[in-house]
Protein backbone atom coordinates (compact mmCIF):
# COMPACT_ATOMS: atom_id res chain seq x y z
CA UNK A 1 0.00 0.00 0.00
CA UNK A 2 1.32 3.44 -0.80
CA UNK A 3 -0.17 6.86 -0.31
CA UNK A 4 -0.24 10.15 -2.09
CA UNK A 5 -1.11 13.66 -1.07
CA UNK A 6 -4.07 15.30 -2.76
CA UNK A 7 -3.89 19.10 -2.76
CA UNK A 8 -7.60 19.91 -2.52
CA UNK A 9 -9.41 19.61 0.79
CA UNK A 10 -13.15 19.26 1.17
CA UNK A 11 -14.98 20.95 4.03
CA UNK A 12 -17.22 19.25 6.54
CA UNK A 13 -14.84 16.45 7.46
CA UNK A 14 -15.73 14.46 10.53
CA UNK A 15 -12.47 13.22 12.08
CA UNK A 16 -12.71 10.64 14.86
CA UNK A 17 -9.96 8.65 16.56
CA UNK A 18 -11.19 5.05 16.59
CA UNK A 19 -8.27 3.52 18.49
CA UNK A 20 -4.73 4.13 19.67
CA UNK A 21 -2.88 0.89 20.40
CA UNK A 22 0.65 -0.17 21.14
CA UNK A 23 1.86 -2.72 18.62
CA UNK A 24 3.46 -5.32 20.94
CA UNK A 25 4.76 -7.35 17.98
CA UNK A 26 7.12 -4.48 17.06
CA UNK A 27 7.83 -3.03 20.53
CA UNK A 28 11.10 -4.03 22.24
CA UNK A 29 13.05 -2.62 25.18
CA UNK A 30 16.68 -3.77 24.95
CA UNK A 31 17.64 -3.71 28.63
CA UNK A 32 21.10 -5.24 28.13
CA UNK A 33 22.09 -2.56 25.64
CA UNK A 34 20.53 0.13 27.83
CA UNK A 35 22.73 -0.92 30.73
CA UNK A 36 25.85 -0.88 28.56
CA UNK A 37 25.11 2.40 26.73
CA UNK A 38 24.03 4.58 29.66
CA UNK A 39 25.41 8.09 29.20
CA UNK A 40 26.05 7.73 25.46
CA UNK A 41 24.33 10.18 23.06
CA UNK A 42 20.94 8.86 21.97
CA UNK A 43 19.64 9.01 18.40
CA UNK A 44 15.91 8.79 17.72
CA UNK A 45 14.37 7.67 14.42
CA UNK A 46 10.71 8.08 13.55
CA UNK A 47 9.08 6.20 10.72
CA UNK A 48 5.49 5.88 9.67
CA UNK A 49 3.33 3.89 7.35
CA UNK A 50 -0.24 4.21 6.18
CA UNK A 51 -2.91 1.65 5.47
CA UNK A 52 -6.62 1.67 4.88
CA UNK A 53 -8.49 0.41 7.93
CA UNK A 54 -10.65 -1.92 5.91
CA UNK A 55 -13.78 0.23 6.11
CA UNK A 56 -14.94 3.29 4.21
CA UNK A 57 -13.16 6.34 5.58
CA UNK A 58 -10.84 4.37 7.91
CA UNK A 59 -7.09 4.94 7.83
CA UNK A 60 -4.40 3.50 10.09
CA UNK A 61 -1.17 5.37 10.77
CA UNK A 62 1.52 3.07 12.17
CA UNK A 63 4.33 4.99 13.83
CA UNK A 64 7.56 3.43 15.04
CA UNK A 65 10.21 5.21 17.05
CA UNK A 66 13.69 3.75 17.47
CA UNK A 67 16.15 4.84 20.14
CA UNK A 68 19.81 3.94 19.51
CA UNK A 69 23.13 4.74 21.13
CA UNK A 70 26.64 4.46 19.79
CA UNK A 71 28.81 1.93 21.62
CA UNK A 72 32.23 1.83 20.02
CA UNK A 73 31.51 2.34 16.34
CA UNK A 74 28.27 0.35 16.31
CA UNK A 75 24.80 1.83 16.84
CA UNK A 76 23.02 -0.35 19.39
CA UNK A 77 19.22 -0.48 19.68
CA UNK A 78 17.85 0.65 23.04
CA UNK A 79 14.13 0.82 22.31
CA UNK A 80 11.80 0.16 19.43
CA UNK A 81 8.27 1.33 20.12
CA UNK A 82 5.39 1.06 17.71
CA UNK A 83 1.80 2.29 17.87
CA UNK A 84 -1.14 2.15 15.50
CA UNK A 85 -3.62 5.04 15.39
CA UNK A 86 -6.88 4.36 13.55
CA UNK A 87 -8.96 7.27 12.31
CA UNK A 88 -12.47 7.37 10.90
CA UNK A 89 -12.48 10.21 8.41
CA UNK A 90 -16.02 9.70 7.24
CA UNK A 91 -17.19 9.39 3.65
CA UNK A 92 -16.53 13.05 2.71
CA UNK A 93 -12.87 13.33 3.74
CA UNK A 94 -11.36 13.49 0.28
CA UNK A 95 -9.47 10.28 1.04
CA UNK A 96 -9.50 7.68 -1.72
CA UNK A 97 -8.40 4.06 -1.39
CA UNK A 98 -7.38 1.92 -4.34
CA UNK A 99 -5.96 -1.62 -4.18
CA UNK A 100 -2.40 -0.24 -4.12
CA UNK A 101 -2.69 3.30 -2.74
CA UNK A 102 -4.25 5.58 -0.15
CA UNK A 103 -4.79 9.19 -1.27
CA UNK A 104 -5.06 11.76 1.55
CA UNK A 105 -5.57 15.56 1.33
CA UNK A 106 -2.41 17.33 2.52
CA UNK A 107 -4.09 19.45 5.24
CA UNK A 108 -5.83 16.39 6.59
CA UNK A 109 -2.56 14.44 6.61
CA UNK A 110 -0.95 17.15 8.75
CA UNK A 111 -3.75 16.85 11.29
CA UNK A 112 -3.50 13.04 11.35
CA UNK A 113 0.26 13.24 11.89
CA UNK A 114 -0.10 15.82 14.66
CA UNK A 115 -2.58 13.69 16.62
CA UNK A 116 -0.62 10.47 16.02
CA UNK A 117 2.80 11.86 16.98
CA UNK A 118 1.32 13.47 20.11
CA UNK A 119 -0.21 10.15 21.15
CA UNK A 120 3.07 8.34 20.43
CA UNK A 121 5.00 10.89 22.52
CA UNK A 122 2.81 10.15 25.56
CA UNK A 123 2.97 6.38 25.06
CA UNK A 124 6.78 6.43 24.80
CA UNK A 125 7.02 8.61 27.93
CA UNK A 126 4.91 6.09 29.85
CA UNK A 127 6.86 3.13 28.47
CA UNK A 128 10.29 4.60 29.30
CA UNK A 129 9.30 5.78 32.79
CA UNK A 130 11.85 4.51 35.31
CA UNK A 131 14.61 4.01 32.72
CA UNK A 132 17.37 6.40 31.72
CA UNK A 133 15.48 6.92 28.45
CA UNK A 134 12.86 8.97 30.32
CA UNK A 135 15.38 11.82 29.98
CA UNK A 136 15.00 11.51 26.19
CA UNK A 137 11.34 12.13 25.37
CA UNK A 138 10.25 12.07 21.77
CA UNK A 139 11.19 15.57 20.58
CA UNK A 140 8.64 18.18 19.61
CA UNK A 141 9.07 18.95 15.95
CA UNK A 142 7.28 20.79 13.22
CA UNK A 143 4.73 18.59 11.48
CA UNK A 144 5.13 20.73 8.35
CA UNK A 145 8.73 19.42 8.15
CA UNK A 146 7.37 15.87 8.11
CA UNK A 147 5.02 16.87 5.31
CA UNK A 148 7.94 18.37 3.33
CA UNK A 149 9.80 15.06 3.62
CA UNK A 150 6.72 13.22 2.44
CA UNK A 151 6.11 15.65 -0.45
CA UNK A 152 9.78 15.40 -1.41
CA UNK A 153 9.26 11.73 -2.09
CA UNK A 154 7.26 12.42 -5.23
CA UNK A 155 3.81 12.14 -3.62
CA UNK A 156 4.10 8.36 -3.68
CA UNK A 157 5.89 6.59 -0.87
CA UNK A 158 5.91 2.82 -0.65
CA UNK A 159 4.64 1.68 2.75
CA UNK A 160 7.06 3.75 4.91
CA UNK A 161 8.89 6.99 4.55
CA UNK A 162 12.62 7.11 5.33
CA UNK A 163 13.44 7.52 9.00
CA UNK A 164 13.94 10.97 10.41
CA UNK A 165 16.88 11.46 12.74
CA UNK A 166 16.99 13.56 15.88
CA UNK A 167 20.20 13.83 17.89
CA UNK A 168 19.65 14.45 21.56
CA UNK A 169 22.65 15.58 23.56
Amino acid sequence: MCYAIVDNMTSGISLNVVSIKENPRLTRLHRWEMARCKGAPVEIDLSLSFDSGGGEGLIVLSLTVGYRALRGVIARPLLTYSADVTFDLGPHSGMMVTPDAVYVPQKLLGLLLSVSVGALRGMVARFTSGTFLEKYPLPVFDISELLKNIRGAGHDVRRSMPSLHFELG
Side-chain angles (χ1 to χ4, degrees), residues 23-30 78-82 127:
N23 186 337
R25 187 176 54 83
L26 298 176
T27 298
R28 299 280 182 275
L29 185 62
H30 304 275
L78 304 174
L79 169 69
T80 304
Y81 192 89
S82 184
F127 194 80

Side-chain angles (χ1 to χ4, degrees), residues 66-141:
Y67 283 65
R68 290 192 309 269
L70 208 57
R71 186 163 50 89
V73 294
I74 299 173
R76 302 292 182 161
L78 304 174
L79 169 69
T80 304
Y81 192 89
S82 184
D84 298 329
V85 183
T86 304
F87 294 94
D88 182 354
L89 306 179
H92 304 293
S93 65
M95 180 182 92
M96 296 181 296
V97 178
T98 66
D100 59 346
V102 176
Y103 298 91
V104 181
Q106 181 180 10
K107 290 179 185 174
L108 180 58
L109 181 58
L111 182 60
L112 298 177
L113 286 171
S114 180
V115 171
S116 299
V117 170
L120 181 67
R121 184 176 294 110
M123 294 170 80
V124 168
R126 180 189 49 83
F127 194 80
T128 59
S129 178
T131 71
F132 88 91
L133 289 178
E134 72 183 352
K135 295 186 248 175
Y136 298 94
L138 190 60
V140 176
F141 51 92

